[in-house]
Amino acid sequence: MLTMKKLTLMGAAGALWGLSALLLSPMAHGATYSDTGAAVLVWPKVVVATQRDTVITITNSARSQTAAHCFYVNANSRCSNSLEACSTSSDCFDVASGITGNCVGGWIEVNFDVILTPEQPVAWSAASGLGNSGLSCPGGLFGGSCAKVCSGGSSSGFPCSLPSDCPGGTCQFASNAGTRVPAVGENPFVGELKCIESDPITRLPKACTTLDCNADPANCCRADLEGTAIITTVGGPSSIVDTERYNAVGLRPTGFNNGDRLLTIGGTPPSPTTTCLDLPPETRCEYQPCSDVLVFNHLFDGAVDPISGTFVAESELSLVPCTQDFLTQRIPQVTAQFLVYNEFEQRLSTSRLVSCVLDTPISLIDTVQPNRSIFSAALQGTVAGQTRITGVGGGLIGAATLNLCAPGVPPAAPVCRSTVVAPGGAAYNLNQFADREAADFIRIP
Amino acid sequence: MVTLNATWGAGRGSVLRLLAAVALLGWAANAGAQPITADSASSDLPAGYIVFPKIVVHTTGSPTAPVLPGGIATDTLIQLTNTNEAAPINVDCWWVNANSHCGGCTTGPIRTCGSICTTTLDCPLGLSCVQGWVTDDFQIRLTPGQPIAFTASSGLNRLPCDPGAQGPGCPGSPADQAMGTIRSAPEDPFMGELKCVEVDDDDDPVPANHIKGEATIVSTTVQPAPPVPPILPGTTTAAAYNGIGFQADQTFTPTQDPTDPLCLGSLPPGAAAGVACNQLYAPCPGVLILNHFFDGAATEIGGVVDTELVLAPCSEDLGNITRSGNFQVLAQLLIYNEFEQRFSSSSRVTCYRSTRLSDIDTGPGPTGDAFSIFSVGVQGTIAGQTRIRGVQGAPNGLGYGLLGVACENYHAGSLAGPILSRTAFNLHQDGFRQEGDAVYLEVLP
Amino acid sequence: MSTVKGLRAGRIALVLIGMTLTAATVGAEERFTTERPSTVLLFPKVVNTSDTIIQITNTTNLLVNVHCFYVNGQDVGGAPIWQITDFDLVLTRQQPTHWSVRNGRGVNPNDSETGLDPGLVPPVVPGFTGFLACVEVMPSGEPSGANSLKGEATIGEVTTLGAPGNHVSKYNAIGIQACGQGGCGGGGQPVNDDNILELNNVEFAACPGGLLLNFAAENSEDVAIGPTNPPSVVSTNLTLIPCGLDLENLVPASTLQTINLRNEFESPGSVSQVPVDCWFSRDLGDPLFGNEMTIGGLQTFFGSGIIRPAAPGQVPVLGVANVLHMAGDGSSDTAATNLHFCNEPLAPSGCNQVNSEIRLPSLP
């Protein structure tokens, strides 16, 4: 098992290995990325509520046109009797019959396409979506200020200025045509967003055999997408506007993709000296693996913010499984194990089933009574903590938010959860450690 | 029948008695320097893995259902001792939360649970009382020979001889000092287990047997604070039992692979390929033997007695709450009365079962209890013997052994009357399981 | 009419059957136990100051004969009177039985005590405080080695709500297992037919070298009751009997013990030369223990102790602890636990198993 001394050694070894891997091989080092272009983007936390919305931005970092096939996952729990969204069973009381239904976890998926012109950022509100009227580049002859790209031919999607730049094709204004982002369709909404860089016609990832796009642009595996989420909260007695921003978590390609519906993420190499690229084509990895451990640095819930000395911290954690089966609509379930260290180096742990999406205040991870949680400052006795999260039965991707709230009168919880608006909050990405050995999958319809 | 009388100073035979005394003393020679070991689970020897099957909490501090003045508050005092007088030991412990909730707990983004319940009768119409299974762990280090005690409701923030809680006898060397924090039970009310394993500094189980423990369940009337006069008559009950220990095989070499289980006896059939025993312990008992009074019996001690039985599987997967939460053992019960008449019944134990005897073969609650085979009216005698055996099911890597403790409640007047006193005791055992059981610990990130 | 040969053959057959059963149910580690069927059962605390219910069960499918001995350890003028009363029981297969020591149990199928009466069980005298020893025997009286018996004792009484003495506590009988061929670590032999039960890891398990006691500091606050019902107090009564009996010559067993203590801060303490004459039962606040186990002496709320023979040649003891939990409103209850056996022979624990014996009255 891992201890601090092992972690130190492994960290040093990992760093050395990672450096040599980067220098020697395009595929030796994996894990997810939130600071560079990727082929798959995951936004683990998309929320819509009264006075709360999430603005999604997605950017094409390449100088050629690209497309993203995206999936909203609605993880709202629903009443078994009314199918209305709920948070507890008490929300499912039916006045007419006098019967209370169960509040059970849900999973509803909606997919759509986003077409991105060269180096174009696109943004939309989860609550509103993006319709035709919101497209920046309508294309055609009236492209406005949008760039021109080849349509068809061997240089399709690449920038052009003259028709001769597009052998076999035509030089037209770049267009977002084909883009339609639906509103999430429910308020409140809790869920995630996944976007996969894909062919706009087939809506599948393009088959590719190399990472070198300079040498072989037609067959290279592209990683052009970058994204962010800005969770905006407006309202409250003081009309506070609070924004929390995190980067979308990206999966980069490995240099191979067979263009089918099964996206293989990582995988166990056939031998210690090989990589998952040495596996047979049907099981060969197409994307770099999800991380083995997510490292979540946070303040314990209820800890007094050391800067203000007044407000108390309340953090939320969002986790989604790496593996998703959109084809069979099977709810992904991963057991997340949490190892929590406080500033005394004392360790506590717990585990929790991540069924589709976990989006929760951290002091509700292990209990429904926050004051008794291992994420509670009152129990831990320190302000800061480190939580290491690993998935059993699958990888995990996550993001976190820190809210600073007005202190409640004990034993009441801080005010964060009783009002919509916190005095301030911030979202941030989780750190990572090591790569998962086992493969994860995304199966798209 | 012969009554033998002996008084001091009788003349005749005094020489014989003196010689006999000398002989007795002479026989008091060392039998050898081998430690006593147990060939299966035992509650009277120090062990490497110890289980407290019955932990109950319901106090005035519950945020959801606090006990009010006049009500009965319950807490469990746990005493743990490091019997190694020469060296400190590390202990990993897990709270197993087996609380039932109306409608269960949601599997959605935020884990919310219905109100805590005992039976469906406690729940609103339409909701069932659904048992959960969640684990939370903590790790401590005990100094040589150190005893500690803590209540399940409060835990222990800082151990005596912790670097911040030094005392006159504490070791000076930091490596020998106590460490860790004992978190409180994760919910209040709480019903579940506590399991502890002796580990090394790397959290690997060790082939050593130094933990002993007792649990005392104390209930008392909550009295109002002065100047409000006390509520009389009050009641206080106390019931104590020994933790059930599994001795580690000290000749076994642990694999130190955190994905490998602790094997109780042997690796159960159906374990995944490549899985081996991380550490080997004594096997689970083959049969549990419960000597009890039949429910409703009026004993010579007074009152009317009923018995609560707690059964828990020997095998657990502490890192996979879904697997353990759905793991079911069929318990076969053979009941003998004082006429040597035999009855039988069976009961499913899904991760944890706490039940009155007469609710085993009838529905929960007092309805139908008079017709139970555990009822004194049906049996016709006061005392009985019940033999309990876990039925071997399909091989799945987990064994089908059972552990248990029993509690007798002495009521005033009838079973509906208030409980005047309570006792707890460990079950006897017969034989041991050949098929083996396994305890998978969390795979710590 | 049975002949001697026939009786002997029958006895041999029963011994063989017993050995078979022994082999079937016994592993390689026969020992003193509080949860396994045994040949000898010891109930260290049996009192008639309240009442005690004895439960004994035959866990096998054969008829079992049991010879029991009440030993009265009441003090008269500072010395135990060591009055012994014995009786016989017969238990059919898997039969549980029970009786109250205050009332005994008659052999009368028409009485209110339903069930097969195991035998005539005498009541004990008023004020009886002592222990009960039961030995599984052959029909002819020789000790058996079948390890068939288990037992519990329930002490106390309950009357009405609010009555001050509503106390009930329960403990498991301490069992001494017969070794059987190859048992007790490998050197075991079948039980012979003399009246001496040798506790030497050959015929029967040897006495454990010590007992482990976890205790709350005497007269300290009960942390489990705490502020719910203050002021609360906890008190522990320790009952000990020597590991070894001479029921033939009616010699009260006597031994000296040392209790090595630690508090939660690991501070050591000790109580030396604790005499256990026949039967010992005192609260931890008794002057005999000095002040070592009180909150004032221990300095922490909890402590642990190892109870060991004070010197080579002294026999170890067996015992139970009964803890009184008293709340501020006057309500209280008791809870008994079996003491763990100390099994670490190496220093500083130094719990080496000790040979001893139980002498039954000679057979005619």
Side-chain angles (χ1 to χ4, degrees):
Chain A
M1 292 188 187
L2 294 174
T3 62
M4 290 309 293
K5 65 179 178 182
K6 273 192 180 178
L7 287 171
T8 306
L9 288 172
M10 288 179 72
L16 186 63
W17 175 79
L19 177 63
S20 60
L22 279 173
L23 294 174
L24 297 174
S25 162
M27 182 39 227
H29 181 60
T32 58
Y33 295 82
S34 59
D35 52 4
T36 188
V40 177
L41 290 181
V42 180
W43 289 259
K45 184 182 178 95
V46 178
V47 292
V48 173
T50 307
Q51 300 174 319
R52 209 173 189 205
D53 196 0
T54 304
V55 173
I56 302 293
T57 73
I58 184 168
T59 300
N60 176 9
S61 62
R63 295 186 65 247
S64 59
Q65 189 147 318
T66 191
H69 188 44
C70 298
F71 300 84
Y72 270 134
V73 175
N74 183 342
N76 277 348
S77 297
R78 301 191 177 279
C79 295
S80 58
N81 52 348
S82 63
L83 299 182
E84 297 289 327
C86 58
S87 55
T88 70
S89 292
S90 56
D91 298 336
C92 303
F93 175 67
D94 178 34
V95 175
S97 63
I99 291 176
T100 306
N102 278 314
C103 186
V104 297
W107 195 90
I108 300 175
E109 168 262 323
V110 168
N111 65 82
F112 56 92
D113 295 306
V114 178
I115 310 300
L116 297 158
T117 63
E119 296 178 313
Q120 181 192 25
V122 170
W124 67 85
S125 138
S128 311
L130 183 65
N132 286 337
S133 60
L135 298 180
S136 305
C137 295
L141 299 176
F142 306 100
S145 56
C146 294
K148 282 191 173 180
V149 295
C150 295
S151 176
S154 59
S155 299
S156 178
F158 285 89
C160 60
S161 53
L162 299 171
S164 59
D165 295 334
C166 306
T170 56
C171 186
Q172 296 180 341
F173 284 106
S175 170
N176 298 126
T179 298
R180 187 162 183 90
V181 181
V184 293
E186 205 164 32
N187 184 344
F189 171 91
V190 173
E192 62 159 315
L193 173 65
K194 271 192 170 73
C195 287
I196 301 165
E197 188 168 8
S198 54
D199 183 280
I201 306 299
T202 65
R203 305 172 96 198
L204 296 175
K206 286 183 180 174
C208 56
T209 55
T210 178
L211 286 175
D212 191 348
C213 291
N214 290 329
D216 191 356
N219 287 316
C220 75
C221 303
R222 306 200 66 86
D224 300 326
L225 302 180
E226 296 171 355
T228 65
I230 306 164
I231 304 170
T232 307
T233 309
V234 180
S238 307
S239 293
I240 293 173
V241 175
D242 177 58
T243 59
E244 302 164 356
R245 174 177 170 149
Y246 67 91
N247 289 346
V249 179
L251 303 175
R252 289 178 62 80
T254 60
F256 167 80
N257 198 311
N258 58 15
D260 63 4
R261 299 184 182 282
L262 184 67
L263 283 58
T264 306
I265 305 167
T268 308
S271 72
T273 57
T274 60
T275 70
C276 58
L277 281 173
D278 298 305
L279 289 165
E282 56 272 16
T283 55
R284 194 176 297 165
C285 51
E286 295 163 324
Y287 300 90
Q288 295 183 13
C290 291
S291 63
D292 192 31
V293 181
L294 297 175
V295 181
F296 171 34
N297 278 5
H298 56 89
L299 303 186
F300 288 113
D301 275 6
V304 176
D305 167 42
I307 296 176
S308 69
T310 305
F311 296 111
V312 295
E314 195 171 275
S315 297
E316 293 178 2
L317 177 68
S318 300
L319 293 176
V320 296
C322 272
T323 292
Q324 291 272 22
D325 191 345
F326 295 114
L327 178 64
T328 62
Q329 301 279 297
R330 202 171 297 168
I331 298 177
Q333 291 188 333
V334 174
T335 299
Q337 292 183 342
F338 300 86
L339 198 63
V340 184
Y341 289 94
N342 65 12
E343 294 180 68
F344 292 121
E345 206 195 312
Q346 294 166 331
R347 193 205 82 196
L348 300 174
S349 77
T350 187
S351 58
R352 168 75 190 271
L353 185 67
V354 177
S355 181
C356 173
V357 169
L358 178 75
D359 182 63
T360 176
I362 58 175
S363 51
L364 293 181
I365 287 176
D366 59 317
T367 178
V368 294
Q369 299 174 356
N371 288 340
R372 309 181 77 85
S373 169
I374 61 174
F375 293 96
S376 150
L379 186 144
Q380 288 283 2
T382 71
V383 171
Q386 179 203 185
T387 296
R388 302 174 67 83
I389 308 164
T390 196
V392 177
L396 292 168
I397 293 173
T401 61
L402 167 66
N403 298 306
L404 296 177
C405 317
V409 178
V415 181
C416 286
R417 298 190 198 117
S418 63
T419 63
V420 173
V421 183
Y428 54 104
N429 290 86
L430 306 184
N431 285 278
Q432 304 160 52
F433 181 83
D435 306 330
R436 268 179 56 77
E437 284 193 359
D440 288 284
F441 303 95
I442 298 175
R443 197 198 305 256
I444 56 181
Chain B
M1 179 188 75
V2 175
T3 300
L4 304 174
N5 291 298
T7 57
W8 288 108
R12 192 164 62 178
S14 59
V15 173
L16 278 175
R17 283 195 285 276
L18 180 61
L19 287 173
V22 168
L24 187 63
L25 286 176
W27 270 112
N30 274 3
Q34 297 299 317
I36 304 171
T37 56
D39 56 359
S40 85
S42 64
S43 61
D44 49 17
L45 288 173
Y49 168 51
I50 188 168
V51 179
F52 299 90
K54 184 175 175 115
I55 305 290
V56 185
V57 175
H58 190 184
T59 71
T60 56
S62 167
T64 54
V67 183
L68 301 175
I72 303 293
T74 303
D75 205 349
T76 304
L77 175 72
I78 295 123
Q79 294 167 267
L80 281 178
T81 298
N82 170 16
T83 63
N84 186 339
E85 298 270 315
I89 64 170
N90 299 314
V91 183
D92 252 347
C93 293
W94 285 261
W95 292 112
V96 177
N97 184 354
N99 273 350
S100 298
H101 298 87
C102 291
C105 297
T106 60
T107 55
I110 298 180
R111 180 170 180 260
T112 55
C113 300
S115 55
I116 295 173
C117 54
T118 307
T119 71
T120 296
L121 298 172
D122 301 331
C123 299
L125 185 63
L127 290 180
S128 301
C129 189
V130 179
Q131 188 173 59
W133 199 94
V134 181
T135 62
D136 300 282
D137 99 316
F138 57 89
Q139 187 187 45
I140 56 175
R141 176 187 294 164
L142 300 177
T143 63
Q146 184 184 26
I148 60 164
F150 56 94
T151 57
S153 64
S154 309
L156 196 60
N157 249 352
R158 181 157 277 173
L159 270 65
C161 290
D162 181 275
Q166 287 287 293
C170 295
S173 161
D176 288 345
Q177 290 173 351
M179 276 178 50
T181 185
I182 298 175
R183 63 156 302 166
S184 54
E187 274 188 281
D188 181 355
F190 173 87
M191 179 179 68
E193 310 174 65
L194 178 67
K195 297 173 183 289
C196 293
V197 180
E198 186 175 350
V199 298
D200 61 14
D201 289 341
D202 292 328
D203 290 335
D204 295 316
V206 291
N209 299 300
H210 298 121
I211 315 173
K212 71 175 280 279
E214 296 86 14
T216 307
I217 303 167
V218 179
S219 298
T220 190
T221 303
V222 177
Q223 296 292 352
V228 179
I231 299 170
L232 296 175
T235 57
T236 295
T237 66
Y241 65 92
N242 287 351
I244 302 171
F246 292 82
Q247 291 206 311
D249 182 343
Q250 294 179 291
T251 64
F252 186 83
T253 302
T255 63
Q256 299 190 328
D257 182 346
T259 61
D260 286 338
L262 313 182
C263 292
L264 311 180
S266 60
L267 190 67
V275 170
C277 293
N278 191 347
Q279 174 60 49
L280 191 62
Y281 295 83
C284 287
V287 176
L288 298 175
I289 305 176
L290 167 63
N291 258 21
H292 59 92
F293 301 117
F294 288 110
D295 282 1
T299 68
E300 290 87 342
I301 280 180
V304 176
V305 66
D306 66 1
T307 303
E308 290 174 17
L309 176 66
V310 170
L311 293 174
C314 275
S315 289
E316 308 265 32
D317 191 337
L318 298 174
N320 190 333
I321 54 180
T322 304
R323 186 185 186 195
S324 273
N326 294 326
F327 179 55
Q328 209 172 65
V329 176
L330 179 65
Q332 267 186 356
L333 302 102
L334 287 178
I335 304 103
Y336 294 89
N337 64 13
E338 294 184 70
F339 286 118
E340 200 206 309
Q341 293 163 330
R342 193 185 83 174
F343 297 77
S344 71
S345 182
S346 61
S347 175
R348 295 200 177 274
V349 180
T350 304
C351 83
Y352 187 88
R353 180 88 194 265
S354 176
T355 175
R356 291 173 61 244
L357 289 184
S358 47
D359 286 343
I360 290 176
D361 60 322
T362 66
T367 306
D369 285 356
F371 303 98
S372 165
I373 58 174
F374 292 97
S375 159
V376 67
V378 169
Q379 289 287 355
T381 73
I382 288 179
Q385 178 201 185
T386 296
R387 300 173 68 88
I388 306 164
R389 186 176 66 92
V391 177
Q392 182 68 27
N396 64 355
L398 295 176
Y400 292 84
L402 290 170
L403 298 173
V405 296
C407 254
E408 285 177 354
N409 302 313
Y410 290 80
H411 299 256
S414 69
L415 289 180
I419 296 175
L420 303 180
S421 186
R422 181 178 275 145
T423 70
F425 53 100
N426 290 86
L427 304 187
H428 280 73
Q429 306 164 15
D430 202 2
F432 57 90
R433 279 179 45 76
Q434 302 274 7
E435 296 84 3
D437 289 87
V439 179
Y440 289 80
L441 306 181
E442 288 176 313
V443 178
L444 302 176
Chain C
M1 184 181 74
S2 301
T3 64
V4 172
K5 278 190 179 177
L7 282 171
R8 187 171 297 158
R11 186 187 308 165
I12 291 171
L14 283 171
V15 168
L16 285 173
I17 292 170
M19 285 174 59
T20 306
L21 286 174
T22 301
T25 60
V26 152
E29 297 294 345
E30 290 67 33
R31 59 182 183 92
F32 276 61
T33 175
T34 59
E35 60 214 339
R36 288 261 159 187
S38 308
T39 297
V40 181
L41 295 181
L42 296 172
F43 299 81
K45 180 164 183 158
V46 175
V47 297
N48 193 14
T49 49
S50 49
D51 198 358
T52 306
I53 294 179
I54 302 295
Q55 291 167 266
I56 294 182
T57 295
N58 170 15
T59 64
T60 68
N61 291 328
L62 293 180
L63 193 81
V64 161
N65 295 274
V66 187
H67 195 171
C68 292
F69 303 84
Y70 279 128
V71 179
N72 192 345
Q74 277 180 287
D75 271 349
V76 172
I81 62 175
W82 186 251
Q83 177 168 324
I84 298 174
T85 305
D86 74 318
F87 54 95
D88 293 298
L89 307 174
V90 177
L91 298 174
T92 60
R93 59 179 217 154
Q94 302 290 354
Q95 182 192 359
T97 193
H98 82 286
W99 68 87
S100 148
V101 301
R102 174 178 291 171
N103 302 326
R105 183 165 179 162
V107 180
N108 181 357
N110 296 317
D111 64 10
S112 61
E113 201 66 80
T114 53
L116 297 173
D117 294 318
L120 185 60
V121 180
V124 297
V125 297
F128 176 97
T129 53
F131 63 94
L132 172 67
C134 289
V135 182
E136 183 182 355
V137 296
M138 307 296 282
S140 51
E142 297 101 9
S144 156
N147 292 333
S148 307
L149 303 178
K150 69 178 283 285
E152 293 87 9
T154 309
I155 304 170
E157 64 183 355
V158 292
T159 52
T160 56
L161 184 65
N166 285 335
H167 297 164
V168 180
S169 54
K170 189 162 191 152
Y171 64 89
N172 287 351
I174 300 170
I176 307 175
Q177 293 187 309
C179 294
Q181 188 69 42
C184 290
Q189 296 290 325
V191 171
N192 57 34
D193 57 4
D194 65 16
N195 65 320
I196 301 173
L197 312 184
E198 295 172 24
L199 312 181
N200 58 0
N201 277 341
V202 176
E203 192 178 19
F204 287 86
C207 296
L211 296 177
L212 300 173
L213 169 67
N214 265 24
F215 61 96
E218 191 71 3
N219 299 323
S220 63
E221 181 195 9
D222 190 324
V223 299
I225 295 176
T228 307
N229 195 340
S232 59
V233 71
V234 62
S235 172
T236 303
N237 175 273
L238 184 62
T239 302
L240 301 172
I241 59 172
C243 184
L245 294 175
D246 186 352
L247 300 168
E248 178 177 40
N249 301 299
L250 306 177
V251 176
S254 180
T255 179
L256 283 174
Q257 301 292 301
T258 294
I259 306 177
N260 291 327
L261 304 167
R262 283 189 191 274
N263 69 6
E264 293 182 84
F265 286 108
E266 215 191 315
S267 294
S270 72
V271 180
S272 307
Q273 306 293 313
V274 176
V276 178
D277 297 323
C278 169
W279 188 77
F280 174 98
S281 184
R282 303 203 190 197
D283 293 344
L284 297 188
D286 190 281
L288 179 70
F289 296 115
N291 201 30
E292 295 286 328
M293 297 192 199
T294 64
I295 184 65
L298 194 66
Q299 298 286 304
T300 62
F301 281 104
F302 294 92
S304 67
I306 303 177
I307 306 172
R308 277 197 306 259
Q314 299 287 330
V315 292
V317 290
L318 306 168
V320 296
N322 204 15
V323 184
L324 172 69
H325 299 259
M326 177 167 282
D329 60 6
S331 59
S332 59
D333 196 7
T334 52
T337 53
N338 291 92
L339 301 187
H340 283 72
F341 301 117
C342 174
N343 66 339
E344 178 52 66
L346 301 176
S349 297
C351 296
N352 292 296
Q353 285 183 281
V354 175
N355 292 340
S356 185
E357 65 178 26
I358 296 176
R359 279 179 181 259
L360 302 178
S362 296
L363 302 168

